[in-house]
Amino acid sequence: MNLPIDNPPIDTTGSPLSSLISPAPLPPHLPDLVRIWVHGWTRCRGTAAPVATRGGFHVEIGRPGQPGRYVFPTADPDVLRSLTASITAPNLWVKVCAPRAVVAPLLPSGWEFDEPQFLMSVTPAAPGEPSARRPHAPARYTVETVDKDGNGILDCRVLHTATGDLAARGRAAVTDAGTPPAVIFDMINTSAGHRRRGLGGLVMNALSAHAAELGAAHGLLVASPEGQALYRSLGWRLHAPVTAARIPPPGGGPAATPPPAGT
């Protein structure tokens, strides 16, 4: 069962981002959150804009091993049975805001599932508030956040000062698919040799601060299990589980598997 859209925020007492949470309301329905998220996700990934279909969205990706994906805010049995019965090509992902136990019986045999994912949100601090200031990197690291083309697609990198190694990174995109604008976070990752040093939180802080300056009033992402733990500790609110499934490629080619969501 989907979690209620107005579930109370998780207690973040002592969290480094606890001051970013405020009572400003999110859109009232899960379909609205999914619509905003998928529009921002396509901006992050540089794909074609999503197309509304069957109560959800289709995104044409058109890259080797990634032809596209469908995203649905609910597990409508008729829609999922009809759609997945018509799909014969591998690697066309179908993502649904529902647990695997609900989605699996609606799919044909032979489909495989990605790890569980989670739709989450946060309300960033307003520009000018102390918690909205761009953060400083810890000793031995530098952080930079850029809006290269001035179009609200933000890239953050954390570098190890001594070696120049990329220690952590992330991307975010501001979208006006909702009112007020929202920021969608994607591809947040910390390199193996630099984990457990707060760099994931640093990336999220830096992107949040920059997005707030651009007018973003809400943050959304779809997180992996590992990412969910980080975001919960940073004060993010969980709205729904997300199940992703596909027809696997012949031989189960790993190159066709998309990057983990939100991590």
Side-chain angles (χ1 to χ4, degrees), residues 66-84:
Q66 295 189 57
R69 63 184 56 194
Y70 287 90
V71 182
F72 294 99
T74 60
D76 184 302
D78 292 336
V79 168
L80 291 180
R81 287 193 180 105
S82 173
L83 173 65
T84 56

Side-chain angles (χ1 to χ4, degrees), residues 2-125:
N2 290 346
L3 297 177
I5 201 65
D6 58 350
N7 59 308
I10 298 161
D11 182 10
T12 58
T13 303
S15 162
L17 295 188
S18 60
S19 58
L20 298 188
I21 305 303
S22 79
L26 281 159
H29 302 295
L30 189 57
D32 291 328
L33 294 181
V34 171
R35 175 179 54 80
I36 294 167
W37 174 80
V38 75
H39 277 83
W41 184 88
T42 59
R43 297 199 74 218
C44 281
R45 298 296 177 103
T47 71
V51 176
T53 180
R54 302 177 187 237
F57 297 91
H58 175 250
V59 178
E60 185 71 33
I61 297 177
R63 297 172 185 163
Q66 295 189 57
R69 63 184 56 194
Y70 287 90
V71 182
F72 294 99
T74 60
D76 184 302
D78 292 336
V79 168
L80 291 180
R81 287 193 180 105
S82 173
L83 173 65
T84 56
S86 71
I87 294 174
T88 58
N91 295 324
L92 183 56
W93 287 92
V94 176
K95 290 196 171 191
V96 187
C97 289
R100 176 171 171 174
V102 172
V103 176
L106 307 177
L107 306 186
S109 62
W111 282 60
E112 73 172 16
F113 292 85
D114 198 4
E115 64 182 0
Q117 300 170 6
F118 306 90
L119 178 65
M120 307 182 75
S121 74
V122 76
T123 302

